[in-house]
Amino acid sequence: MDAHQARTLQDLDAAHHLHPFNDNAALAAKGTRILTRGEGCYVWDAEGHKLLDAFAGLWCVNIGYGRAELGRAAARQMEQLAYYNSFFQCTTEPTIRLAAKLAELTPYDLDHAFFVNSGSDANDTILRLVRHYWAVQDQPRKNVFIARHNGYHGTTVAGASLGGMKSMHGQGGLPIPDIVHVDPPFWFHDGGELSEDEYGLLAARRVEDKILELGPERVAAFIGEPVMGAIGVHIPPRTYWPEVERICRQYDVLLVADEVITGFGRTGEWFGAQTFGFRPDVMTIAKGITSGYIPLGAAMFGERVAGVLKAQGGELAHGATYSGHPVCAAVALENIRILQEERIVETARDHIAPYLAQRWAELGEHRLVGQARIVGLMGALELVPHKGRRTLFEERGKVGALCRDNALRHGLILRATYDAMLLSPPLVIERAQVDELFDKAWKALDDTAEALGI
């Protein structure tokens, strides 16, 4: 693409495209970056720059870019049956086979899939169906969801309400009623003199305190991401999730794991619940289910919940035109086949994750980094004004944005959330590419530190 074509596209984009999570006026003045192709762990932009994508698009391109098999799977299904719905007592073969495959893959007894279009839709679905689950058991007042401040569960009205992002709540009159939030586990900033294990128990018991404040007869469910991704890859202490599960069982509160980011190998196991050792009643998934090649999500229900929903009688008044779309299901099945047959999750866990953790820890030695945290193939570098102190920059976000832009200049895509540099590469990243990632990230940190006079 020549410079004139790129400029024309940027002008069209500025005139007609509202970008998510952007200052659209500022972006229009600057001009958006146009990506043109991808292969493996790399993408190329319209100006010809080759970029190592250490964020896998948006946490999702688990098998890497350019896998033609997924395109062929979509084409085959489009040629045979491009679309049919799951209403009117109908469905399609790929939809059935994907539900069965997810029942096989997801841990414990999460054997029942309700298909949607995204992670946001999946979290909308569980809000409605969990409340319905309690209502048909003559407990309509048991409808309050407990979630976490700074959690992220999507951008729909229900998803953004379940999430605890103040900036999102400030737009659109959110959160909706009967959703409450507790403080999340973030030891680096909040742990004081406690060990991480001690702090994990303290943070988990905030959930118990809220249940007792509201009354167990009012609380339907607790929802959380196994690792809080969007706020900065906040990895909980190992004591946190088992204690949250114990509390939920004690007070008969359903436990919902939002695995939209962590599912399909991101934490080193197929699902984050396996990594952190807890058993959810409900799980939401998306992103890695198709490696981002096509939109798809699902809510997975355990037998306790699904058994009631199936037995309650009457119409289940929830769904969407594209629920269980056959082309999306066919692509998901091919993506999962590749993940399984090429043992991508296991190879990433056993061979790449340990080396990536080693190199990430080396980045943690940089004078600008206060903490290098990582689990599986997701991590963060917490940038701080004073090495050795657990303090954050006063004007949060400025330093992170500068470091992100410096990384781009060196051909590396990292995400910045406030002043944390986030890592989430394709699971197929190789050791040589990990070394490349380290070298480019170190240069970006150096450039940032020098600009700050640190």
Side-chain angles (χ1 to χ4, degrees):
M1 184 181 299
D2 63 31
H4 175 71
Q5 289 175 308
R7 184 67 249 181
T8 299
L9 285 174
Q10 287 177 324
D11 290 343
L12 287 170
D13 186 77
H16 304 294
H17 183 193
L18 287 171
H19 285 250
F21 286 99
N22 266 280
D23 179 335
N24 278 273
L27 181 61
K30 179 182 178 181
T32 189
R33 182 184 297 273
I34 301 169
L35 283 302
T36 58
R37 69 184 183 96
E39 182 180 343
C41 294
Y42 297 95
V43 293
W44 284 260
D45 67 19
E47 297 178 3
H49 298 124
K50 180 182 179 181
L51 304 168
L52 175 58
D53 184 3
F55 204 66
L58 199 56
W59 316 93
C60 55
V61 189
N62 289 10
I63 64 169
Y65 295 94
R67 295 298 298 251
E69 302 97 316
L70 272 66
R72 290 195 289 269
R76 285 193 301 270
Q77 186 58 43
M78 284 186 178
E79 291 168 359
Q80 180 175 335
L81 179 65
Y83 169 76
Y84 206 75
N85 64 69
S86 295
F87 294 30
F88 316 132
Q89 302 178 5
C90 296
T91 191
T92 67
E93 181 179 351
T95 311
I96 295 169
R97 294 197 180 280
L98 180 58
K101 174 58 71 172
L102 292 174
E104 171 194 313
L105 278 180
T106 52
Y108 315 117
D109 68 342
L110 296 164
D111 294 340
H112 308 268
F114 191 101
F115 290 112
V116 292
N117 305 320
S118 69
S120 294
D121 292 346
N123 287 320
D124 267 34
T125 292
I126 61 96
L127 181 73
R128 287 196 61 196
L129 296 191
V130 164
R131 286 177 170 175
H132 181 56
Y133 162 81
W134 289 114
V136 298
Q137 296 179 93
D138 298 321
Q139 297 185 72
R141 293 185 67 252
K142 197 171 174 70
N143 70 336
V144 176
F145 269 67
I146 299 174
R148 298 181 295 189
H149 295 299
N150 291 323
Y152 186 86
H153 301 293
T155 61
T156 55
V157 169
S161 294
L162 289 168
M165 301 286 189
K166 289 183 179 179
S167 60
M168 295 172 68
H169 289 176
Q171 299 177 358
L174 305 178
I176 59 178
D178 294 322
I179 296 173
V180 300
H181 298 85
V182 297
D183 286 339
F186 184 32
W187 175 85
F188 180 78
H189 185 57
D190 187 43
E193 298 303 314
L194 296 175
S195 71
E196 290 197 52
D197 283 350
E198 290 170 333
Y199 175 72
L201 294 174
L202 179 149
R205 287 165 189 165
R206 294 167 182 161
V207 179
E208 182 173 35
D209 292 343
K210 184 60 71 173
I211 292 171
L212 293 174
E213 174 191 328
L214 296 165
E217 72 282 359
R218 293 280 288 118
V219 181
F222 171 77
I223 183 172
E225 308 147 86
V227 177
M228 296 178 73
I231 194 57
V233 187
H234 292 180
I235 302 168
R238 291 288 172 165
T239 53
Y240 177 78
W241 275 110
E243 181 67 0
V244 167
E245 181 181 3
R246 183 196 68 77
I247 290 164
C248 288
R249 302 293 173 239
Q250 179 177 344
Y251 297 103
D252 198 22
V253 169
L254 294 180
L255 181 53
V256 181
D258 180 340
E259 297 256 15
V260 171
I261 288 174
T262 52
F264 300 93
R266 180 57 55 194
T267 64
E269 301 291 344
W270 275 87
F271 296 94
Q274 295 164 300
T275 299
F276 292 97
F278 69 99
R279 181 174 182 145
D281 300 293
V282 181
M283 177 186 289
T284 53
I285 53 179
K287 293 189 185 291
I289 191 173
T290 65
S291 286
Y293 277 57
I294 202 165
L296 181 65
M300 301 298 299
F301 294 93
E303 187 58 42
R304 176 186 178 184
V305 179
V308 170
L309 294 177
K310 287 182 175 182
Q312 54 92 21
E315 181 180 69
L316 185 62
H318 182 65
T321 300
Y322 302 120
S323 295
H325 193 292
V327 176
C328 299
V331 171
L333 284 166
E334 183 66 6
N335 176 65
I336 292 169
R337 181 195 68 77
I338 291 170
L339 285 168
Q340 287 187 309
E341 290 188 6
E342 298 183 12
R343 294 185 58 79
I344 289 172
V345 174
E346 294 77 11
T347 299
R349 179 193 64 205
D350 297 338
H351 301 289
I352 298 302
Y355 186 63
L356 180 62
Q358 173 191 324
R359 303 247 63 187
W360 201 244
E362 291 174 39
L363 288 172
E365 298 300 316
H366 193 278
R367 62 189 184 280
L368 191 57
V369 178
Q371 184 188 42
R373 46 186 181 265
I374 193 165
V375 59
L377 270 72
M378 64 186 303
L381 301 173
E382 193 72 48
L383 309 186
V384 296
H386 305 290
K387 184 77 172 178
R389 302 183 199 172
R390 283 159 44 196
T391 56
L392 307 178
F393 287 98
E394 288 186 15
E395 187 181 351
R396 296 190 68 193
K398 183 178 179 180
V399 175
L402 175 61
C403 190
R404 176 201 61 209
D405 292 345
N406 285 332
L408 276 171
R409 286 194 305 103
H410 291 291
L412 175 65
I413 297 173
L414 293 171
R415 177 177 174 177
T417 295
Y418 294 115
D419 300 307
M421 307 310 300
L422 311 191
L423 173 78
S424 173
L427 302 187
V428 295
I429 192 170
E430 298 175 354
R431 286 171 68 101
Q433 293 165 333
V434 172
D435 292 335
E436 178 186 348
L437 189 162
F438 171 89
D439 292 340
K440 292 179 174 181
W442 191 275
K443 290 175 183 176
L445 291 168
D446 271 349
D447 292 347
T448 305
E450 289 169 14
L452 297 172
I454 294 176

